[in-house]
Amino acid sequence: MNENINNKLNAKSIKPTAMRQLVLHVLAEQKSAVSMQELEQKFEKADKVTLYRTLKTFEEKKLIHSIDDGTGSIKYALCRESCQCRPEELHVHFYCTECKQTYCLNDIPIPSVNLPVHFTLENINMVVKGICANCI
Amino acid sequence: MNENINNKLNAKSIKPTAMRQLVLHVLAEQKSAVSMQELEQKFEKADKVTLYRTLKTFEEKKLIHSIDDGTGSIKYALCRESCQCRPEELHVHFYCTECKQTYCLNDIPIPSVNLPVHFTLENINMVVKGICANCI
DNA sequence: AAGTTGATGCAATTGAGTTGCAAAGTTGTT
DNA sequence: AACAACTTTGCAACTCAATTGCATCAACTT
Ligand SMILES: [Mn+2]
Ligand SMILES: [Mn+2]
Ligand SMILES: [Zn+2]
Ligand SMILES: [Zn+2]
């Protein structure tokens, strides 16, 4: 695989096995977030569990983030280069009810909320549902 | 059951069966949102499926709303009196990672987001995770 | 080479949600 | 009251994504 792929894996201290290179390669060419099942179908022979554990590893190492878009299957997408997945750097996600795609709105940060007193924030998930520009 | 319970059911044109009165009664005394499983355990003899369908009916009639807090089980909470569940009137939800409770922050409306051009909005889900005031 | 650690593949399990269908209950009509 | 039409309920069975257990394989370490 690409040299670039290995660099990304190394940068997040993930051992670059064949499987991981392959999965990262496929993830990198997606325009929308993908589920494990969708990902599985993009490979000739792919074990669901290995894929599952690969994604877990990627997520732990903050190479990808997972998106619970409310459809029942978790979607995954690459994090931006320097992302630490801290609450301040999270972005809004969009689920199109027409094309059933989940998009990272990387340029739209999650607006801050004023929580009630003594509530502390660790994480936020914000998913907007509607029709995307391609489906108008 | 209470006369109030029947009023609420009638107001949303839900036929007040014994089961529905009971479920609404239990829902009304909750301080946080509950899952189907939690609800099931609050009754002596309760059929999961009947409960499931009762909640579906309640949700369709906008007596309750469901919350996908990312834990894997949907939570349910009463809607406010005049709620139509329109995007403008949605509120933020809070999941406490300590007590594992999901709270409706009824007084905190979901902030508006500026979507990219030609994206239209139908619905928003916003869940904040952290520690609640009781668990500090 | 043997030992240790991590990665992979297959089978099986979990658990929330959902469907099918028949029985029981309700309502309205003759 | 008897009947039909419709709604609600209960049980069993099923779906589907996610997860675990365990044996095998690969990559380093001594
Ligand atoms: Mn994203
Ligand atoms: Mn709520
Ligand atoms: Zn679309
Ligand atoms: Zn708490």
Side-chain angles (χ1 to χ4, degrees):
Chain A
M1 294 291 119
N2 198 323
E3 187 58 29
N4 191 23
I5 297 285
N6 281 339
N7 288 342
K8 281 184 182 170
L9 288 170
N10 286 327
K12 304 277 182 173
S13 46
I14 300 166
K15 225 184 288 180
T17 67
M19 180 65 166
R20 289 170 179 176
Q21 291 168 328
L22 221 59
V23 172
L24 177 52
H25 185 257
V26 172
L27 277 173
E29 62 192 13
Q30 302 306 310
K31 293 199 168 32
S32 57
V34 287
S35 66
M36 234 178 61
Q37 278 65 25
E38 289 167 330
L39 213 44
E40 198 181 355
Q41 289 161 7
K42 292 181 194 295
F43 297 102
E44 297 293 302
K45 91 180 212 338
D47 181 56
K48 191 168 58 103
V49 178
T50 309
L51 200 49
Y52 168 73
R53 289 194 265 235
T54 301
L55 293 171
K56 279 277 175 215
T57 303
F58 282 7
E59 190 177 9
E60 273 163 24
K61 301 292 187 156
K62 303 196 195 307
L63 179 59
I64 64 176
H65 59 281
S66 64
I67 306 143
D68 185 344
D69 58 14
T71 59
S73 56
I74 306 288
K75 305 301 187 325
Y76 299 90
L78 283 190
C79 286
R80 294 185 131 179
E81 197 72 29
S82 61
C83 178
Q84 294 294 114
C85 290
R86 298 167 57 83
E88 318 85 67
E89 43 186 350
L90 299 175
H91 52 267
V92 173
H93 289 103
F94 188 91
Y95 174 73
C96 176
T97 53
E98 189 67 24
C99 61
K100 320 291 193 218
Q101 299 296 301
T102 301
Y103 296 99
C104 287
L105 303 183
N106 278 307
D107 298 333
I108 306 185
I110 295 185
S112 65
V113 278
N114 287 317
L115 295 174
V117 273
H118 298 127
F119 278 65
T120 62
L121 179 152
E122 287 172 4
N123 208 340
I124 312 186
N125 181 33
M126 187 169 189
V127 178
V128 177
K129 288 193 191 191
I131 313 277
C132 81
N134 299 328
C135 293
I136 292 286
Chain B
M1 295 290 122
N2 198 323
E3 186 58 29
N4 191 23
I5 296 285
N6 282 338
N7 288 342
K8 280 184 181 169
L9 289 171
N10 286 327
K12 304 278 182 172
S13 46
I14 300 166
K15 227 185 285 180
T17 67
M19 182 64 167
R20 290 170 179 175
Q21 291 169 328
L22 220 60
V23 172
L24 177 51
H25 185 257
V26 172
L27 278 172
E29 63 192 12
Q30 302 307 310
K31 292 196 168 33
S32 58
V34 286
S35 67
M36 233 178 62
Q37 279 64 23
E38 289 167 330
L39 214 44
E40 198 180 354
Q41 289 161 6
K42 291 180 193 295
F43 297 102
E44 297 293 302
K45 89 179 214 339
D47 180 57
K48 190 169 61 104
V49 179
T50 308
L51 200 48
Y52 168 72
R53 289 195 265 236
T54 301
L55 292 171
K56 278 277 175 216
T57 303
F58 283 7
E59 190 176 10
E60 273 164 23
K61 302 291 187 160
K62 302 195 194 309
L63 178 59
I64 64 175
H65 59 281
S66 63
I67 307 144
D68 186 343
D69 58 13
T71 59
S73 57
I74 306 288
K75 305 300 185 333
Y76 299 90
L78 283 189
C79 286
R80 294 186 132 177
E81 197 72 31
S82 61
C83 178
Q84 295 293 114
C85 291
R86 298 166 58 81
E88 317 86 67
E89 44 187 348
L90 298 175
H91 53 267
V92 173
H93 289 104
F94 188 91
Y95 175 73
C96 176
T97 53
E98 188 68 26
C99 61
K100 320 292 193 215
Q101 299 295 301
T102 300
Y103 296 99
C104 288
L105 303 183
N106 279 306
D107 298 334
I108 306 186
I110 294 186
S112 64
V113 278
N114 287 318
L115 294 175
V117 273
H118 299 127
F119 279 65
T120 61
L121 179 152
E122 287 171 6
N123 207 342
I124 312 186
N125 181 34
M126 186 170 190
V127 178
V128 177
K129 288 192 191 192
I131 313 277
C132 80
N134 300 326
C135 292
I136 294 286

